[in-house]
Amino acid sequence: MDGFRWDYFDKTATPNFDEIIRGGSKAAALIPVFPTKTFPNHISIVTGKYPENHGIIANRMYDPVFNEYYYIGEGSKPVLDGKWYEAEPIWVTVEKVGLKAMTMFWPASEAEIMGYRPTEYFVYNGSIKHDDRINQVLKWLDYPANKRPTFISLYFSHTDSYGHRYGPDSEKTKEAIKEMDRTIGNLVTGLKERSLFGQVNLLLVSDHGMAPIFSDSIIYLDDYINMETVEMVDWTPIGSMIPAFNSLNTLDTLKDAHPKMNVYKKGEAPERLHYRNHRRIQPITLVADEHWSITTRKNDVNDDHEKGATGGAHGYEQTYASMHGIFVGHGPGFKPGFKGPGFSNIHLYEMMCRLMGVSPVKNDGTVDSVLVFLNN
């Protein structure tokens, strides 16, 4: 559930989530990788690797070897091109050993990666109704044993969309949380009707949280540099920039330009970010502080701001609690009624391999980091 923040269970009534939590294991938070954006984190969840090791370092990025741009969104051709993905996703691990994986959406699951695709999958289409997604999963579970999948993924953008538009503390976002509770309730009902609710391992996860942003907390790059001397590959709140050869002082100019923005030369980002060593990381990375946005006065749709919230954003450092997501595990593999500490999402790949009895490929996570939630 994209953008489902760690504290969303407490913002409104969630009876279906509560039932899953009571019978399963819940972490205090699922800690994302940097940048706390959708595709980098979804790929880290299913590969167990940091973005600099799986290659999807942003939602929009430039590869100097391919001389091509990667960007997300419905109809994106790069998303379908397996050459961008440099680590093995869980569905490939499953398919390689002769088991079946089926994906009702997950970033990159529609691409052929390392020669494999899920046995059945859907190219992302956000207009497919929530209940239809659930029904597809239940249909897969009704397959005869020789066709039934070992791994299934579901993806919903709902809470992320509402969090961006209205902010994480809005009534509209609470309605979105209720809608996801209703939707997952339908899944639980379907599992119960098939006597599977206690037999399958169900993992509820999110890629990141959401922070409110404010109209009086904006960093305007064109106040400090001539924007014609740089190429912006990606924007707020994590900007990536390629300076022209004749503007090599851009880094020095921006370094102390704004007290709410950190500026890093490639290879010099703090170790905690794991964001140094990939060719798609651009020469200059801009990182806004929590609640702040990066834009230009030219691009700002409303340069006559009034004070107040303007929605929500994510992408900030993973150290902010507002960026943390959720982890709930329910089923035979998980301790019932257990609450444990927060952990990094890079450990989920190892957890899923353990639950399915398949051998993981080399990754950045460890199963030891999540054993506390597991029954064995």
Side-chain angles (χ1 to χ4, degrees):
M1 294 178 288
D2 202 316
F4 201 105
R5 205 169 75 177
W6 67 275
D7 59 349
Y8 276 8
F9 295 129
D10 302 322
K11 286 189 174 292
T12 188
T14 55
N16 296 297
F17 288 141
D18 293 347
E19 180 182 5
I20 298 170
I21 291 167
R22 281 195 303 271
S25 292
K26 178 179 181 290
L30 187 64
I31 301 169
V33 295
F34 179 86
T36 53
K37 292 280 192 173
T38 296
F39 267 59
N41 276 277
H42 274 84
I43 308 305
S44 286
I45 287 170
V46 296
T47 65
K49 290 193 172 185
Y50 291 108
E52 67 176 0
N53 294 329
H54 63 57
I56 306 302
I57 56 96
N59 286 344
R60 187 176 191 274
M61 55 192 183
Y62 171 71
D63 188 303
V65 173
F66 300 159
N67 191 26
E68 295 175 30
Y69 289 87
Y70 181 98
Y71 54 91
I72 69 170
E74 284 189 40
S76 166
K77 291 182 179 179
V79 168
L80 299 174
D81 191 339
K83 73 182 181 184
W84 291 90
Y85 307 104
E86 299 176 352
E88 180 174 302
I90 187 71
W91 55 83
V92 172
T93 304
V94 167
E95 293 279 347
K96 279 171 57 178
V97 296
L99 301 172
K100 292 178 173 60
M102 299 183 186
T103 55
M104 186 64 246
F105 303 149
W106 192 275
S109 64
E110 58 265 62
E112 181 180 304
I113 299 176
M114 300 173 180
Y116 290 86
R117 276 194 169 100
T119 297
E120 294 189 25
Y121 65 94
F122 287 82
V123 175
Y124 184 66
N125 178 353
S127 68
I128 294 181
K129 295 178 181 178
H130 293 166
D131 289 352
D132 290 340
R133 304 182 196 193
I134 298 296
N135 291 337
Q136 179 61 59
V137 166
L138 296 174
K139 178 182 176 182
W140 284 332
L141 291 172
D142 289 336
Y143 279 3
N146 65 325
K147 288 184 63 180
R148 194 177 303 138
T150 297
F151 172 85
I152 298 174
S153 74
L154 267 163
Y155 170 81
F156 301 96
S157 63
H158 197 60
T159 43
D160 183 70
S161 298
Y162 277 72
H164 275 297
R165 185 168 184 179
Y166 301 106
D169 303 312
S170 66
E171 290 301 316
K172 291 285 189 180
T173 295
K174 291 176 185 177
E175 292 175 14
I177 296 166
K178 290 179 180 178
E179 166 59 14
M180 290 318 307
D181 183 73
R182 184 201 66 80
T183 300
I184 300 303
N186 284 347
L187 176 62
V188 169
T189 298
L191 292 173
K192 288 178 177 177
E193 289 172 349
R194 293 159 175 79
S195 300
L196 288 175
F197 184 51
Q199 304 304 312
V200 299
N201 289 305
L202 177 65
L203 283 68
L204 301 180
V205 301
S206 59
D207 50 352
H208 53 72
M210 189 72 67
I213 54 174
F214 304 99
S215 56
D216 59 356
S217 301
I218 299 175
I219 300 160
Y220 294 105
L221 292 182
D222 46 355
D223 284 353
Y224 308 103
I225 61 170
N226 179 358
M227 297 303 296
E228 294 182 359
T229 66
V230 299
E231 178 188 350
M232 293 298 297
V233 176
D234 201 9
W235 283 93
T236 187
I238 306 300
S240 60
M241 176 186 291
I242 305 173
F245 288 115
N246 62 355
S247 60
L248 295 178
N249 63 342
T250 301
L251 181 71
D252 293 333
T253 303
L254 288 174
K255 202 79 172 175
D256 300 308
H258 198 285
K260 298 297 183 179
M261 181 176 70
N262 287 309
V263 180
Y264 302 119
K265 182 180 179 182
K266 181 173 181 173
E268 296 180 359
E271 281 190 32
R272 66 179 180 274
L273 300 183
H274 297 274
Y275 205 71
R276 292 179 174 180
N277 302 311
H278 198 282
R279 68 178 186 266
R280 297 169 192 160
I281 298 172
Q282 297 306 326
I284 299 175
T285 299
L286 315 172
V287 183
D289 283 5
E290 187 181 28
H291 309 302
W292 284 76
S293 305
I294 300 172
T295 186
T296 63
R297 295 194 181 277
K298 181 179 179 181
N299 292 339
D300 195 358
V301 293
N302 181 8
D303 199 20
D304 185 25
H305 285 291
E306 295 179 3
K307 289 187 178 181
T310 58
H314 55 88
Y316 306 103
E317 286 202 25
Q318 73 274 28
T319 50
Y320 296 119
S322 64
M323 293 298 98
H324 293 178
I326 57 161
F327 171 80
V328 179
H330 183 283
F334 293 100
K335 295 176 181 175
F338 178 76
K339 293 190 176 181
F343 65 91
S344 171
N345 65 18
I346 63 166
H347 304 303
L348 287 172
Y349 172 80
E350 289 267 351
M351 175 188 278
M352 291 185 286
C353 286
R354 178 72 165 254
L355 291 168
M356 293 185 290
V358 298
S359 297
V361 294
K362 186 177 179 182
N363 64 92
D364 297 324
T366 63
V367 75
D368 290 348
S369 298
V370 291
L371 282 177
V372 66
F373 298 97
L374 301 179
N375 265 329
N376 48 51

